[in-house]
Amino acid sequence: MGASDFSKLPHIGESLRRKEDLRFLTGAGQYTDDITQPAQSYAVFVRSPHAHAVITAIDLDAARAMPGVVEIFTGKDLEGKMGGLPCGWLINNPDGTPMKEPPHPVLALGKVRHVGDPVAMVIAETLEQAKNAAEAVSVDYDVLPAVVDVRDAAKATPLHDIAPDNHCYKWVLGDKSQVDAAFAGAAHVTRLDLINNRLVPNAMEPRAAIGSYNRASEEYTLHVSNQNPHVERLLMTAFVLGLPEHKVRVIAPDVGGGFGSKIYLYAEDVALTWASKQVNRSIKWTCERSESFLTDAHGRDHVSHAEMAMDANGKFLAMRVHTHANLGAYLSTFSTAVPTILYATLLAGQYTCPQIYVEVDAWFTNTAPVDAYRGAGRPEATYLLERLVSRCGWELGLSQDEIRKRNFINSWPYQTPVALQYDTGDYLACMTRAQELGDVAGYESRKAASAARGLLRGIGYSSYIEACGIAPSNIAGALGARAGLFECGEIRVHPTGSVTVFTGSHSHGQGHETTFAQVVAARLGIAPEAVDVVHGDTGRVPFGMGTYGSRSISVGGAAIMKALDKIETKAKKIAAHLMEASDADVDFANGEFTVKGTDKKVTFGQVALIAYVPHNYPLDKLEPGLNENAFYDPTNFTFPAGTYICEVEIDPATGVTRVDRFTAVDDFGNIINPMIVEGQVHGGLVQGIGQALLENCVYDRETGQLVTGSFMDYAMPRADDFPEFRIGTVCTPCTHNPLGTKGCGEAGAIGSPPAVINAVLDALRPLGVQEFDMPASSNRVWNAIQAAK
């Protein structure tokens, strides 16, 4: 079935209410912290108060004597019994040498490298007893100088022996000589320095885990708040604990948001799993919010210089970029891919820029590890490019929309100079629709009205593109991926005609239980209510790579479609036998099997029953049952794109900046459930605008202490920070997956930050403010105005 046929099926394009919401709204959801195991004990981690220090002594005597203490482990207890936490993506330097890959111990061994680095694990009968004993653990440190800024890393005290200059790798993409030649002949060159500020993910549900061990079966079970349980199990068994994979079961129940921060294998997950066998008890750990700030993988943190060469008419000739990427103290699971494969390959954006050259230097610092956060490299690329493009227009006297229109790609497929090939799109249609929805024609009158009230008004554009569903596995492997990027789906048809779907994708707010049910119901001609979706359990789902990178419907959904193809093929053979026809003459549509040219028909429910009650069944040709699975490995990324337009009002007396209007038009290809897609866009916009206006993770440059370590200091966006969003869509179906879908979960967070900052600059430029980095807090805006004066 092709994508165009699929889009016409019943239930596709319907805004069905989310099936999972009833249990969440009534408190019936089950998160990891809701689970209590028999004879369960509790863990608390003793963490480093220093950003960089040598551990000279650990005294556990007082803590061991505390009431209820079951056991205490330090790095020395784990040494030699397990490996370190692995990095899942190898990056090579231009000369072919591999990146510096220092050990990442589960509990610190001899040295701590960021505030919050785990030093010891205290296990006790109750959580209170574990906390009390943790406070009694005495650790002596010899404090070392710390570095938190990538611009200072090269001359700072080394974090790791393997990287004496704190440099992890240099990575390049593009032809430098051709780019330099284009710049030499350019009529105009625009230059820009900018910082993409560090963010703390702050999922609503903090991380949590319960490790258990069954001596009778010699099996481990880990309940964990995680986005990809199969990958968690693979990394933990193959690279850290050295256990047979079938002896470890990872269950990710309901998960309260992830945004990338719950993709990774964390030290706490490994420690709990290993220790559960040592003490022969289940051990629960639930991260407190202050721990989350310190230890969850952070996002962004780039310092970049970018240049664009143009001809006299504003046509792009070439671009060159240099980025310093902060990796934090250790290499997190996919940290190395974010500022390279997922960043530089998107720097072409929506534009026909013939030549691009990118250099990325990645550094270790005494901060929490940095990894993928909603968008993962795509927001960093879009922010740099869209800031640069608007500046190009301003310097040439062109409007923000005109400079984009002059350079838009207008034919597909399109091969970019940074490796990717876009299969389809319509960027001008997205911009035109956004301008209509946003009433850009009325902007000047709104600007005059703002001025009459003593306020500044600015408008900002952002035309983003992203690559979703990282693929294919063989190419990703050649680029350094240490895992496959396929997905698995299983369709189990029951005798009554109802269906259970087992998917390797994981839902933690995306609405998979609804959208996947719509896909299956549409194909089989049954009600969505007759479809259940199971995910998040390695003991029930065959395999899967989880949810990240807006891959679930395009990759996970495609695997389900392939399994449905097999179901339909077998069901046609059963139906053909019942109707005494050849299966080649059997059609299937709207839940009925018919014989071409006749009035014969049987329903899907009848076929399902016969498959399991084979009294009238060709047992010599077909085995009973109706159960199929399939794996799908994409042949290319999908490429959602769109244009966002933001209008801000600024009070020049106070610097207070308010988003007054925001319009987002996206091309997500075929849409399964418009309501769920709109909700995903809203959530992404809130996170992206939050970064642009409010959020900023700050470390003290002298001590390495996290200054913004709580919600008192880290400004999270609230509902009254936003206007009503104007949302629209354009549809150019993806050409290489059977649903014609593209990802939607990260788009809002990718396209919105540059739109906001471009609007802020558009308002401030008449006052002499030429550049501005996120976040546009009132203090920073006011200071910029005063400095310009």
Side-chain angles (χ1 to χ4, degrees):
M1 175 176 287
S4 59
D5 294 329
F6 171 77
S7 67
K8 299 171 185 175
L9 292 176
H11 307 304
I12 302 304
E14 292 184 18
S15 292
L16 300 184
R17 289 188 176 183
R18 298 196 342 159
K19 298 173 66 174
E20 50 268 72
D21 282 351
L22 179 62
R23 75 172 186 272
F24 294 141
L25 293 172
T26 58
Q30 188 180 59
Y31 300 87
T32 300
D33 191 57
D34 294 326
I35 299 168
T36 300
Q37 302 281 33
Q40 177 177 281
S41 51
Y42 296 81
V44 168
F45 288 87
V46 178
R47 300 187 182 276
S48 170
H50 304 290
H52 200 189
V54 174
I55 300 172
T56 58
I58 302 177
D59 187 346
L60 304 177
D61 292 344
R64 289 189 189 278
M66 298 284 285
V69 172
V70 175
E71 186 56 275
I72 303 176
F73 295 105
T74 68
K76 289 291 185 182
D77 298 308
L78 277 57
E79 188 175 17
K81 299 179 175 66
M82 64 182 68
L85 301 180
C87 177
W89 205 293
L90 172 67
I91 297 295
N92 288 322
N93 294 292
D95 63 3
T97 58
M99 65 188 186
K100 304 292 176 56
E101 196 168 358
H104 185 177
V106 172
L107 295 176
L109 266 173
K111 193 176 186 183
V112 291
R113 296 176 174 87
H114 69 95
V115 175
D117 215 353
V119 175
M121 177 175 62
V122 177
I123 305 168
E125 299 284 356
T126 69
L127 180 58
E128 183 179 6
Q129 289 171 334
K131 286 183 176 181
N132 290 339
E135 291 181 1
V137 173
S138 177
V139 185
D140 292 335
Y141 298 96
D142 184 4
V143 179
L144 300 172
V147 60
V148 299
D149 192 313
V150 287
R151 292 166 292 188
D152 303 327
K155 297 180 180 180
T157 302
L159 276 75
H160 304 280
D161 294 341
I162 195 175
D165 57 357
N166 291 318
H167 191 246
C168 181
Y169 61 78
K170 176 182 281 291
W171 185 84
V172 299
L173 181 64
D175 189 319
K176 186 177 186 299
S177 61
Q178 290 189 17
V179 168
D180 289 345
F183 269 83
H188 183 85
V189 174
T190 292
R191 296 176 175 85
L192 177 65
D193 292 293
L194 77 171
I195 296 172
N196 201 302
N197 47 320
R198 180 184 280 240
L199 301 175
V200 180
N202 282 315
M204 186 177 294
E205 176 210 20
R207 290 189 292 121
I210 305 171
S212 304
Y213 180 72
N214 185 318
R215 282 190 172 177
S217 62
E218 298 183 329
E219 292 177 338
Y220 298 82
T221 300
L222 176 68
H223 288 83
V224 63
S225 182
N226 185 269
Q227 296 175 219
N228 46 359
H230 280 95
V231 175
E232 169 112 352
R233 181 179 69 169
L234 175 64
L235 293 174
M236 185 163 56
T237 56
F239 294 96
V240 186
L241 295 180
L243 296 170
E245 198 168 1
H246 70 285
K247 290 294 186 179
V248 179
R249 181 180 182 184
V250 176
I251 301 171
D254 290 327
V255 173
F259 314 115
S261 69
K262 294 177 182 174
I263 295 173
Y264 323 116
L265 177 65
Y266 284 97
E268 295 88 356
D269 307 344
V270 175
L272 292 168
T273 303
W274 176 83
S276 66
K277 178 180 180 180
Q278 310 308 308
V279 300
N280 195 31
R281 301 179 65 147
S282 295
I283 312 167
K284 176 189 279 190
W285 168 77
T286 301
C287 191
E288 296 189 348
R289 186 61 66 179
S290 58
E291 282 184 288
S292 293
F293 273 95
L294 291 171
T295 64
D296 287 4
H298 292 174
R300 317 292 190 247
D301 206 345
H302 284 189
V303 177
S304 298
H305 175 78
E307 299 178 351
M308 184 74 80
M310 293 167 281
D311 67 15
N313 295 315
K315 285 286 289 180
F316 300 155
L317 302 176
M319 181 170 65
R320 54 190 176 201
V321 175
H322 186 273
T323 292
H324 292 287
N326 194 339
L327 298 176
Y330 302 101
L331 297 182
S332 182
T333 307
F334 295 114
S335 59
T336 51
V338 174
T340 52
I341 307 300
L342 300 179
Y343 165 68
T345 56
L346 270 297
L347 284 171
Q350 300 185 9
Y351 310 112
T352 56
C353 186
Q355 296 292 336
I356 298 174
Y357 178 72
V358 187
E359 289 185 354
V360 177
D361 283 291
W363 305 88
F364 295 109
T365 65
N366 297 111
T367 61
V370 177
D371 210 318
Y373 172 65
R374 198 169 190 168
R378 283 71 59 86
E380 295 91 322
T382 300
Y383 182 69
L384 181 146
L385 179 61
E386 291 304 294
R387 284 284 311 280
L388 182 62
V389 169
S390 286
R391 187 176 177 91
C392 289
W394 288 328
E395 291 186 2
L396 293 178
L398 298 174
S399 64
Q400 294 181 68
D401 60 333
E402 180 60 27
I403 187 68
R404 287 170 169 81
K405 289 175 183 177
R406 291 189 184 189
N407 290 282
F408 273 158
I409 297 163
N410 54 29
S411 64
W412 291 266
Y414 180 82
Q415 178 62 53
T416 73
V418 280
L420 300 182
Q421 184 179 82
Y422 305 158
D423 62 328
T424 185
D426 193 339
Y427 308 148
L428 182 59
C430 287
M431 176 174 282
T432 302
R433 180 64 177 139
Q435 290 178 317
E436 293 169 353
L437 273 179
D439 184 26
V440 172
Y443 170 70
E444 290 300 330
S445 63
R446 292 191 294 275
K447 184 174 182 178
S450 296
R453 301 196 309 276
L455 303 175
L456 306 171
R457 180 177 283 265
I459 188 169
Y461 280 72
S462 172
S463 295
Y464 80 91
I465 190 167
E466 63 165 321
C468 300
I470 306 173
S473 291
N474 58 345
I475 293 178
L479 293 173
R482 289 165 166 168
L485 297 167
F486 54 83
E487 196 48 84
C488 175
E490 179 182 350
I491 304 296
R492 187 176 300 172
V493 180
H494 303 292
T496 57
S498 61
V499 175
T500 300
V501 179
F502 299 86
T503 175
S505 300
H506 186 277
S507 182
H508 41 278
Q510 293 87 348
H512 294 171
E513 293 173 39
T514 303
T515 51
F516 286 180
Q518 285 180 255
V519 169
V520 173
R523 278 291 305 270
L524 299 182
I526 60 179
E529 293 77 18
V531 182
D532 285 333
V533 177
V534 175
H535 61 89
D537 186 346
T538 63
R540 300 184 67 189
V541 177
F543 202 83
M545 300 308 296
T547 293
Y548 49 86
S550 300
R551 72 191 298 271
S552 295
I553 194 65
S554 298
V555 185
I560 290 170
M561 286 285 281
K562 288 189 69 175
L564 286 166
D565 289 341
K566 296 180 180 180
I567 291 288
E568 182 176 325
T569 298
K570 182 173 182 180
K572 279 183 176 179
K573 293 179 180 180
I574 299 172
H577 177 78
L578 293 175
M579 294 184 289
E580 299 180 334
S582 167
D583 58 288
D585 295 327
V586 175
D587 289 328
F588 178 61
N590 300 318
E592 289 185 337
F593 298 89
T594 57
V595 178
K596 298 172 184 176
T598 75
D599 59 356
K600 292 181 178 181
K601 64 180 180 181
V602 294
T603 66
F604 178 76
Q606 289 175 285
V607 169
L609 181 61
I610 291 297
Y612 289 95
V613 186
H615 296 161
N616 182 18
Y617 194 86
L619 288 170
D620 58 326
K621 298 178 181 178
L622 286 174
E623 58 185 38
L626 201 52
N627 182 10
E628 300 285 353
N629 64 56
F631 287 77
Y632 175 73
D633 199 321
T635 58
N636 193 4
F637 293 87
T638 67
F639 297 100
T643 288
Y644 292 176
I645 303 175
C646 175
E647 291 185 32
V648 300
E649 275 191 329
I650 299 175
D651 184 343
T654 63
V656 171
T657 301
R658 181 178 68 89
V659 175
D660 184 60
R661 300 166 74 91
F662 201 102
T663 303
V665 173
D666 302 281
D667 178 0
F668 296 137
N670 290 335
I671 291 177
I672 309 299
N673 188 310
M675 178 189 69
I676 288 178
V677 167
E678 186 170 334
Q680 289 284 300
V681 172
H682 279 211
L685 292 177
V686 167
Q687 285 186 277
I689 297 171
Q691 176 181 12
L693 291 182
L694 297 162
E695 296 185 53
N696 195 26
C697 177
V698 178
Y699 284 89
D700 183 273
R701 293 186 71 162
E702 296 298 323
T703 65
Q705 294 294 325
L706 181 60
V707 177
T708 52
S710 75
F711 290 136
M712 294 293 289
D713 307 295
Y714 187 91
M716 292 287 284
R718 293 169 171 80
D720 60 0
D721 291 315
F722 305 99
E724 181 178 351
F725 298 132
R726 293 168 171 83
I727 304 295
T729 58
V730 168
C731 180
T732 63
C734 174
T735 61
H736 55 79
N737 74 53
L739 300 93
T741 54
K742 307 175 185 180
C744 73
E746 297 168 301
I750 292 169
S752 55
V756 173
I757 298 301
N758 284 338
V760 170
L761 279 169
D762 187 60
L764 297 181
R765 282 173 60 81
L767 302 183
V769 178
Q770 297 301 311
E771 278 309 323
F772 195 89
D773 279 315
M774 299 183 286
S777 63
S778 56
N779 179 61
R780 291 164 64 90
V781 171
W782 186 85
N783 282 333
I785 293 171
Q786 303 313 305
K789 286 180 179 179

